[in-house]
Amino acid sequence: MNNPFIPQKKKVLDVIAQTDIDITYKVEFDQQLKGGQFVQVSIPRIGEAPISVSDFGDGYIEMTIRKVGKLTDEIYNLQPGDYMYLRGPYGNGFPIEKYENKHLIIAAGGTGLAPVKNIVNHFNTNINKVKKFDLLLGFKSPKDILFKDEIENWKKNINLTLTVDNADEDWTGNSGLITTFVPNVEIENMGDVQVVIVGPPVMMKFTALEFLKLGVPKEQIWVSFERKMSCAIGKCGHCKIDETYVCLEGPVFNYTKGEELID
């Protein structure tokens, strides 16, 4: 039996800058996974951290990593041909089968777009598998916008709203919190709606409340937590909220469960 604590050495295939501090790493990977799952990324003698999978395909995964500390500073120096160490995937992903033939609404704030990027790409490519697709994206400022090329592509098939909290003088798009734009989503049949919300905890909380005000049932809302995960296999207890281990039961939760998970 493989030791779940032992990571595997994986080659970096490509490095794509997103912002000044966000980089997407395409890394060789041959295990099956679902959108919303995460892997543990490590550099020997430096450390390890849970990272969401932003996309995946045959023989690779992509992770969009923000430069925020010792480990990510070291990862920031990696180039194609270098290696990092991975173990996983872990956790429960999004139940993508539940979104088919529905009115899918995804609201993502900041780096919360990364865990749902694969779902967006899937339904953008297979737009006939959903009745309607609304995508709400919010970032702190224009310079913080991720996946700009993909966003332009998504606009062709998806009802996409992009907004920033703090606009600069060159910004000509929407300004304001993502919650401001939730009431603009036209919902024809509340029973057909499936809502996915990912972002900072405060963003998820108030965005979910806005959808509840519209009449969306709690059981048709999905959220993703990334809370203090460490070992990824329910042993260390860092991610435990009451009796729930986020790394095992999540990070994706139905809102009926997610609303109870309060720090």
Side-chain angles (χ1 to χ4, degrees):
M1 182 177 178
N2 292 332
N3 187 328
F5 284 104
I6 297 178
Q8 302 297 314
K9 185 178 182 181
K10 301 295 183 181
K11 182 185 291 186
V12 177
L13 303 175
D14 199 5
V15 177
I16 306 162
Q18 301 289 344
T19 71
D20 291 343
I21 58 171
D22 298 288
I23 294 181
T24 296
Y25 295 86
K26 184 176 182 179
V27 182
E28 61 181 4
F29 198 78
D30 55 7
Q31 297 190 55
Q32 291 186 338
L33 48 76
K34 293 179 65 176
Q37 288 187 298
F38 67 97
V39 294
Q40 293 287 124
V41 179
S42 60
I43 301 293
R45 298 183 298 278
I46 302 297
E48 182 182 60
I51 302 293
S52 297
V53 176
S54 56
D55 210 349
F56 56 90
D58 187 19
Y60 75 90
I61 61 171
E62 292 183 0
M63 299 167 290
T64 300
I65 300 174
R66 173 161 287 182
K67 187 174 184 285
V68 292
K70 184 178 180 181
L71 174 63
T72 52
D73 285 352
E74 192 71 20
I75 292 174
Y76 201 76
N77 295 324
L78 297 180
Q79 298 297 322
D82 291 337
Y83 291 87
M84 63 174 68
Y85 287 76
L86 305 179
R87 60 184 177 93
Y90 296 111
N92 290 311
F94 291 99
I96 195 168
E97 67 282 351
K98 290 183 181 291
Y99 308 151
E100 293 184 352
N101 299 313
K102 302 294 184 180
H103 176 184
L104 177 60
I105 305 170
I106 295 180
T111 55
L113 176 55
V116 297
K117 179 173 177 278
N118 174 261
I119 301 175
V120 178
N121 280 335
H122 172 76
F123 285 113
N124 181 59
T125 303
N126 302 279
I127 197 66
N128 61 317
K129 289 189 176 183
V130 288
K131 291 183 177 179
K132 187 179 179 183
F133 192 172
D134 284 279
L135 180 60
L136 308 178
L137 304 179
F139 297 92
K140 286 185 178 180
S141 71
K143 68 180 180 63
D144 296 307
I145 296 173
L146 301 174
F147 313 122
K148 292 179 181 178
D149 291 342
E150 285 91 340
I151 287 174
E152 289 304 312
N153 182 46
W154 295 339
K155 288 179 180 178
K156 299 173 185 177
N157 293 321
I158 300 170
N159 302 317
L160 192 151
T161 299
L162 174 64
T163 184
V164 298
D165 299 348
N166 304 300
D168 57 31
E169 59 184 13
D170 297 322
W171 178 252
T172 58
N174 297 309
S175 299
L177 298 177
I178 201 169
T179 50
T180 305
F181 299 90
V182 172
N184 296 341
V185 178
E186 297 181 2
I187 300 175
E188 298 174 2
N189 184 343
M190 206 61 70
D192 271 347
V193 173
Q194 290 287 328
V195 177
V196 175
I197 305 171
V198 187
V202 67
M203 171 267 175
M204 291 196 295
K205 174 183 177 180
F206 287 102
T207 303
L209 290 176
E210 289 299 318
F211 280 109
L212 292 173
K213 289 178 185 177
L214 293 180
V216 178
K218 292 181 179 180
E219 60 270 18
Q220 292 168 215
I221 299 176
W222 305 83
V223 294
S224 180
F225 287 72
E226 293 185 7
R227 179 193 181 276
K228 302 176 183 177
M229 292 186 290
S230 182
C231 74
I233 58 174
K235 299 299 182 183
C236 71
H238 284 192
C239 69
K240 190 177 181 183
I241 304 176
D242 295 328
E243 299 304 314
T244 300
Y245 289 88
V246 173
C247 68
L248 295 180
E249 298 182 46
V252 175
F253 292 94
N254 186 265
Y255 187 75
T256 55
K257 174 70 174 180
E259 67 173 336
E260 302 172 359
L261 301 178
I262 302 173
D263 286 332

